[in-house]
């Protein structure tokens, strides 16, 4: 019987294609290890690397606050129970020198003094969108008080992208790679 913490598909540690070998090398160089999702799904379906690459490039074009981007990713991943995605969001925040104390308060963001009213509005929006697949007029109006239309679209896309990643990892039982600990070394 498989342990609950093990991926449902055995990670492939030695890929055959040059494209995957480069991807493995790159992630190991940047983060200190090859990501489990790379070894589980992209190793079996390397054609999806192009989509992932496009999503990463899109993420770099978002102009919303970097701290907010990381908080949205970590929060949505927490809602969806994607341990890998929470881990990579926090590790990426560490790389950007974002203090981790706000991540510790994410589940109580509405009551926390660590979040601005604008950040609370964005987190409430992605929370409702993730849980209900739609938002109320009052939640949207609250978001509009702090963000322009371009930023609202970016927040919405970021939420959708994070949900996509969560849905590719969680069903395959891909858990944390402990990237935060690696970043501290």
């Amino acid at each position: 019987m498989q342990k609950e913490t093990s991926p449902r598909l055995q990670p492939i540690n030695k890929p055959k294609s040059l494209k995957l070998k480069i991807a493995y090398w790159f992630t190991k160089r940047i983060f200190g290890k090859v990501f489990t999702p790379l070894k589980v799904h992209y190793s079996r379906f390397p054609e999806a690397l192009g989509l992932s690459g496009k999503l990463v490039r899109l993420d770099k074009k978002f102009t919303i606050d970097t701290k907010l981007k990381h908080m949205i990713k970590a929060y949505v991943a927490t809602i969806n129970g994607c341990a890998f995605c929470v881990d990579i969001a926090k590790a990426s925040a560490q790389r950007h020198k974002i203090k981790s104390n706000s991540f510790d308060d994410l589940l109580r963001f509405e009551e926390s003094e660590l979040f601005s009213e604008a950040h609370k509005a964005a987190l409430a929006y992605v929370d409702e969108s993730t849980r209900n697949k739609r938002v109320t007029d009052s939640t949207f109006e609250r978001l509009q008080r702090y963000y322009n239309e371009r930023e609202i679209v970016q927040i919405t896309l970021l939420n959708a992208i994070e949900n996509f990643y969560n849905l590719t990892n969680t069903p395959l039982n891909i858990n944390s790679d402990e990237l935060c600990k690696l970043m501290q070394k």
Side-chain angles (χ1 to χ4, degrees):
M1 184 171 175
Q2 183 172 341
K3 293 185 340 186
E4 187 176 324
T5 57
S6 299
R8 289 198 161 117
L9 299 174
Q10 184 66 35
I12 296 172
N13 292 312
K14 295 186 179 190
K16 294 179 181 168
S17 81
L18 179 60
K19 185 177 184 179
L20 280 169
K21 287 177 184 179
I22 291 169
Y24 278 38
W25 174 84
F26 184 75
T27 58
K28 186 169 184 173
R29 181 173 168 256
I30 299 290
F31 287 95
K33 74 182 306 183
V34 179
F35 296 157
T36 302
L38 189 57
K39 296 189 290 184
V40 172
H41 27 81
Y42 297 109
S43 63
R44 288 174 171 83
F45 192 66
E47 296 84 353
L49 275 174
L51 173 60
S52 185
K54 285 181 182 182
L55 293 176
V56 168
R57 287 188 297 280
L58 179 65
D59 184 86
K60 290 178 182 178
K61 293 181 180 185
F62 290 151
T63 57
I64 59 172
D65 175 56
T66 302
K67 181 179 178 181
L68 178 61
K69 279 181 17 177
H70 287 91
M71 288 189 303
I72 288 171
K73 291 175 184 182
Y75 185 62
V76 171
T78 300
I79 293 170
N80 290 328
C82 184
F84 175 82
C85 296
V86 170
D87 184 37
I88 196 166
K90 288 181 177 181
S92 181
Q94 283 178 335
R95 289 183 70 223
H96 285 93
K97 310 289 188 230
I98 297 170
K99 294 179 183 174
S100 65
N101 62 342
S102 55
F103 292 96
D104 298 336
D105 245 8
L106 271 175
L107 290 177
R108 54 177 295 279
F109 71 87
E110 289 286 14
E111 299 87 37
S112 176
E113 295 177 10
L114 296 175
F115 301 95
S116 69
E117 290 304 312
H119 286 173
K120 288 178 182 183
L123 290 169
Y125 175 76
V126 299
D127 180 281
E128 196 171 320
S129 177
T130 297
R131 293 179 196 275
N132 304 329
K133 311 304 177 244
R134 59 182 40 93
V135 297
T136 62
D137 290 342
S138 62
T139 299
F140 189 76
E141 289 163 4
R142 180 181 177 194
L143 186 70
Q144 283 183 304
R145 277 182 250 157
Y146 301 101
Y147 299 98
N148 64 38
E149 291 177 355
R150 182 178 175 86
E151 292 166 330
I152 290 170
V153 168
Q154 290 177 21
I155 291 166
T156 304
L157 285 170
L158 183 62
N159 181 49
I161 291 166
E162 188 57 37
N163 274 282
F164 164 77
Y165 283 129
N166 299 166
L167 287 169
T168 61
N169 292 322
T170 306
L172 294 176
N173 214 20
I174 295 173
N175 290 296
S176 171
D177 274 345
E178 302 203 11
L179 298 171
C180 288
K181 288 181 183 177
L182 288 173
M183 297 298 293
Q184 293 172 353
K185 290 182 180 180

